[in-house]
């Protein structure tokens, strides 16, 4: 199937490799936001009071699908598509605000429960991949075109901090309860050297670098106990690292084919976006806390070239 499962449905148009150099004559160069998409009206959405799982679709759907969490192969209860062209990473804050990176050059903010943007961030954005929210509610974004990670204070559209040291092709991103930030170098179509770079709270230089078990890190998550999860495209696995350790202690392979975004909830349930080798393999796989075997409650409906995922309520803040 080639180097990655991403872009399978969009290969005749604009594939995910646009994060590197754009595609087609109408694509903007790296660092320049594309023509902003039109905001379209959407039908009323169903309501759901329980926990939710969000999944971005970078293929022809160009949307974010929302599912009731912990349910066997549910249909989406909501879709979000306004102002999205190639939605990538997803993150949520404690107020339910949703942030979606768009690799065409912006980050879209949606207030809790809304499908229309409340804000669009373009300053400091340069081919964004993933995003994360820290314990203070601030937004962090990995920019492949930087290469850097930019911080936006809660409510701001202007970057407050930019981190560049230790970054070569920053994609995956996660922040733990203590404020340590984890950035994966070389995921998706990026080339090595592959690593997960760790930054101490407030630090702009790496405090340590993890290379053991890291092969094209497409997704990163950290649970409430500080366990690090790294989804590797080349190895087709998810490696687990105990807090503060540089060597994996457990490997998940069952159900993992071309993994992308991953997320973990407060109880330790893990969700892995799987691009697979064929269209039927495209699923989101759920793993019980501490298990390397899927729960059997995977999601397959409404997925089209899925990329990122996030759980609500989020782990932070």
């Amino acid at each position: 199937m080639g180097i990655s499962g991403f872009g399978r449905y969009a290969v005749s148009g604009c594939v995910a490799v646009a994060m590197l150099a754009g595609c087609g004559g109408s694509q903007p160069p790296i660092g320049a936001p594309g023509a902003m998409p039109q905001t379209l009206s959407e039908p009323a959405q169903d309501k759901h009071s329980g926990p939710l799982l969000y999944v971005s679709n970078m293929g022809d759907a160009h949307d974010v699908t929302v599912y009731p969490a912990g349910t066997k192969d549910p249909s989406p209860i909501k879709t979000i598509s306004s102002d999205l062209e190639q939605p990538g990473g997803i993150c949520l804050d404690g107020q339910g605000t949703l942030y979606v990176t768009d690799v065409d050059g912006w980050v879209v903010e949606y207030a809790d429960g809304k499908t229309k943007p409340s804000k669009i961030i373009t300053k400091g954005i340069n081919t964004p991949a993933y995003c994360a929210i820290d314990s203070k509610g601030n937004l962090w974004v990995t920019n492949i075109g930087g290469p850097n990670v930019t911080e936006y204070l809660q409510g701001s559209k202007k970057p407050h901090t930019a981190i560049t040291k230790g970054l070569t092709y920053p994609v995956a991103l996660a922040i733990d309860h203590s404020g340590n930030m984890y950035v994966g170098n070389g995921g998706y179509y990026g080339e090595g050297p592959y690593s997960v770079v760790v930054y101490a709270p407030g630090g702009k230089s790496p405090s340590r670098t993890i290379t053991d078990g890291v092969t094209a890190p497409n997704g990163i998550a950290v649970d409430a106990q500080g366990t690090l999860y790294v989804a590797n495209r080349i190895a087709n696995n998810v490696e687990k690292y105990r807090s503060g350790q540089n060597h994996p202690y457990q490997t998940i392979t069952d159900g993992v084919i071309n993994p992308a975004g991953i997320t973990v909830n407060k109880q330790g349930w893990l969700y892995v976006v799987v691009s697979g080798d064929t269209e039927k393999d495209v699923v989101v796989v759920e793993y019980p806390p501490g298990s390397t075997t899927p729960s059997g409650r995977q999601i397959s409906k409404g997925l089209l070239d899925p990329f990122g995922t996030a759980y609500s309520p989020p782990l932070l803040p």
Side-chain angles (χ1 to χ4, degrees):
M1 135 144 219
I3 192 168
S4 170
F6 291 101
R8 181 188 309 115
Y9 304 105
V11 68
S12 62
C14 185
V15 295
V17 74
M19 291 189 292
L20 278 174
C23 62
S26 62
Q27 282 292 323
I30 285 178
M36 298 298 291
Q38 259 188 323
T39 299
L40 303 176
S41 60
E42 296 185 21
Q45 305 292 330
D46 295 331
K47 294 182 179 180
H48 181 78
S49 59
L52 300 171
L53 191 71
Y54 293 71
V55 183
S56 63
N57 290 290
M58 196 181 269
D60 291 341
H62 308 296
D63 65 13
V64 174
T65 47
V66 187
Y67 302 86
T71 304
K72 186 175 182 179
D73 205 14
S75 297
I77 60 172
K78 180 186 295 185
T79 59
I80 301 169
S81 60
S82 293
D83 292 275
L84 297 177
E85 286 294 315
Q86 290 198 78
I90 308 172
C91 53
L92 292 139
D93 68 16
Q95 285 70 50
T97 302
L98 171 69
Y99 299 86
V100 184
T101 69
D102 194 299
V103 299
D104 275 1
W106 52 84
V107 177
V108 188
E109 175 187 311
Y110 302 86
D112 183 22
K114 304 298 182 180
T115 58
K116 303 295 182 182
S118 56
K119 188 180 301 177
I120 295 178
I121 301 172
T122 58
K123 292 183 179 180
I125 301 300
N126 192 336
T127 318
Y130 278 112
C131 63
I133 304 295
D134 65 21
S135 60
K136 297 179 181 178
N138 299 324
L139 170 70
W140 296 79
V141 180
T142 52
N143 292 287
I144 297 171
N148 61 28
V149 180
T150 47
E151 177 197 20
Y152 298 81
L153 300 181
Q154 189 174 33
S156 177
K157 296 172 65 174
K158 297 180 179 180
H160 173 70
T161 301
I163 296 174
T164 59
K165 292 182 180 180
L167 302 178
T168 55
Y169 192 91
V171 177
L173 177 67
I175 300 173
D176 67 19
H177 278 89
S178 299
N180 298 296
M181 183 168 68
Y182 304 77
V183 183
N185 279 314
Y188 301 113
Y189 291 92
E191 298 180 354
Y194 303 121
S195 65
V196 173
V197 186
V198 186
Y199 299 83
K204 289 191 174 184
S205 297
S207 58
R208 60 190 174 98
T209 300
I210 303 171
T211 57
D212 187 13
V214 179
T215 53
N218 276 2
I220 292 177
V222 184
D223 67 18
Q225 286 69 47
T227 301
L228 171 68
Y229 302 77
V230 179
N232 292 296
R233 168 177 56 81
I234 290 178
N236 287 319
N237 66 20
V238 176
E239 297 281 14
K240 296 174 64 174
Y241 303 75
R242 290 190 174 89
S243 180
Q245 299 300 304
N246 289 353
H247 307 287
Y249 75 94
Q250 192 176 64
T251 304
I252 301 173
T253 58
D254 191 357
V256 182
I257 307 173
N258 281 322
I262 60 176
T263 190
V264 63
N265 69 13
K266 294 181 180 181
Q267 290 73 40
W269 289 80
L270 176 69
Y271 298 85
V272 182
V273 175
V274 172
S275 283
D277 283 328
T278 65
E279 188 171 333
K280 67 180 179 61
D281 296 327
V282 178
V283 294
V284 178
V285 184
E286 178 191 70
Y287 298 84
S291 176
T292 60
T293 303
S295 69
R297 297 188 302 202
Q298 67 182 24
I299 294 172
S300 64
K301 298 173 184 176
L303 301 179
L304 190 61
D305 234 6
F307 189 100
T309 185
Y311 191 93
S312 176
L315 208 61
L316 291 176

